[in-house]
C-alpha cells in the first residue's frame, strides 16, 4: 500500500516538499512569509527609493520619535551603538536626517528627520502598505489581526 499523498496545504509554498510538521512552527512560517514581504519591499521601496529595510526602519523610528538619541535607537532595535552609528551616518549623508546637540545635555546628540527624510518615510510607507494590501492573500481584518499578533510576539523580546 502506497503512503497517502500529502494535501496541497501540507506542502511548502512552492508546492514541492512536505512540510506538515513545520506548519506548526511559528519561526518557520515567519521566515516563509518574510520571503514574500521582502520581495514586495524590494520591488516597491528598496530598488526605486534606494532604501534598505534597516534604513527604512531607522528613518521611520527617528521620524516618529524626533529628538531621540543614538543610544535609545540602538536599544530599541537591539543593535550595538557602532552598528546604529553606521546606519545613521548613511542616512545623514543622504540628507535624510540631522543630528543636533541636546538642549539638556550638550554632549548628547539627538536625531531628527529632514524634510526630505520625512517625505521619503511617508512615500515608502504608503508604497509598501499599498503593495501588501493589493498582493497578499489576506483580508483587511486578517491583516489587522496578523499585525497585532506579530507585534505581540515581537514584544516578548522586551521581557528577555
Amino acid at each position: 500500500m502506497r503512503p497517502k499523498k500529502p494535501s496541497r496545504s501540507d506542502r511548502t509554498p512552492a508546492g514541492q516538499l512536505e512540510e506538515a510538521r513545520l506548519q506548526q512552527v511559528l519561526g518557520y512560517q515567519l521566515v516563509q512569509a518574510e520571503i514574500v514581504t521582502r520581495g514586495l519591499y524590494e520591488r516597491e521601496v528598496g530598488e526605486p527609493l534606494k532604501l534598505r529595510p534597516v534604513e527604512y526602519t531607522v528613518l521611520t523610528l527617528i521620524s516618529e520619535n524626533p529628538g531621540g538619541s543614538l543610544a535609545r535607537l540602538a536599544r530599541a532595535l537591539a543593535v550595538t551603538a557602532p552598528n546604529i552609528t553606521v546606519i545613521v551616518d548613511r542616512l545623514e549623508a543622504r540628507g535624510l536626517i540631522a543630528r543636533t546637540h541636546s538642549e539638556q545635555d550638550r554632549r548628547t546628540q539627538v536625531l531628527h528627520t529632514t524634510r526630505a527624510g520625512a517625505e521619503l518615510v511617508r512615500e515608502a510607507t504608503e508604497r509598501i502598505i499599498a503593495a501588501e494590501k493589493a498582493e497578499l492573500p489576506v483580508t483587511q481584518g486578517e491583516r489587522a489581526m496578523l499585525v497585532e499578533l506579530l507585534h505581540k510576539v515581537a514584544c516578548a523580546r522586551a521581557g528577555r
Side-chain angles (χ1 to χ4, degrees), residues 135-156:
E135 297 181 39
L136 298 180
V138 293
T139 66
Q140 187 173 350
E142 290 169 334
R143 185 179 192 286
M145 287 186 335
L146 181 58
V147 168
E148 182 178 339
L149 291 170
L150 289 172
H151 182 70
K152 189 174 187 177
V153 170
C155 287

Side-chain angles (χ1 to χ4, degrees), residues 5-20:
K5 187 175 180 179
S7 71
R8 182 156 175 77
S9 65
D10 289 341
R11 291 180 170 248
T12 57
Q16 301 302 312
L17 301 173
E18 291 184 45
E19 69 169 359

Side-chain angles (χ1 to χ4, degrees), residues 6-126:
S7 71
R8 182 156 175 77
S9 65
D10 289 341
R11 291 180 170 248
T12 57
Q16 301 302 312
L17 301 173
E18 291 184 45
E19 69 169 359
R21 288 188 184 107
L22 288 171
Q23 285 190 0
Q24 300 303 310
V25 178
L26 183 57
Y28 173 77
Q29 295 299 341
L30 288 170
V31 170
Q32 294 301 306
E34 196 266 344
I35 293 168
V36 175
T37 58
R38 183 171 291 267
L40 287 174
Y41 178 89
E42 285 303 321
R43 188 186 76 232
E44 296 296 325
V45 175
E47 290 293 323
L49 303 181
K50 305 295 183 225
L51 196 61
R52 297 175 187 168
V54 69
E55 293 169 338
Y56 168 73
T57 299
V58 169
L59 187 61
T60 302
L61 288 173
I62 293 170
S63 178
E64 292 184 8
N65 301 278
S69 69
L70 283 166
R72 186 171 177 214
L73 193 55
R75 248 188 337 272
L77 296 173
V79 298
T80 64
N83 285 341
I84 203 70
T85 300
V86 168
I87 298 163
V88 167
D89 287 347
R90 280 197 307 251
L91 294 171
E92 186 177 39
R94 287 182 63 184
L96 301 174
I97 64 163
R99 295 183 233 207
T100 58
H101 290 286
S102 168
E103 292 180 12
Q104 288 78 25
D105 182 353
R106 301 287 299 157
R107 297 169 295 175
T108 302
Q109 292 182 338
V110 294
L111 306 167
H112 302 273
T113 53
T114 61
R115 183 173 287 135
E119 176 58 27
L120 186 61
V121 163
R122 185 198 59 71
E123 181 181 356
T125 301
E126 286 176 3

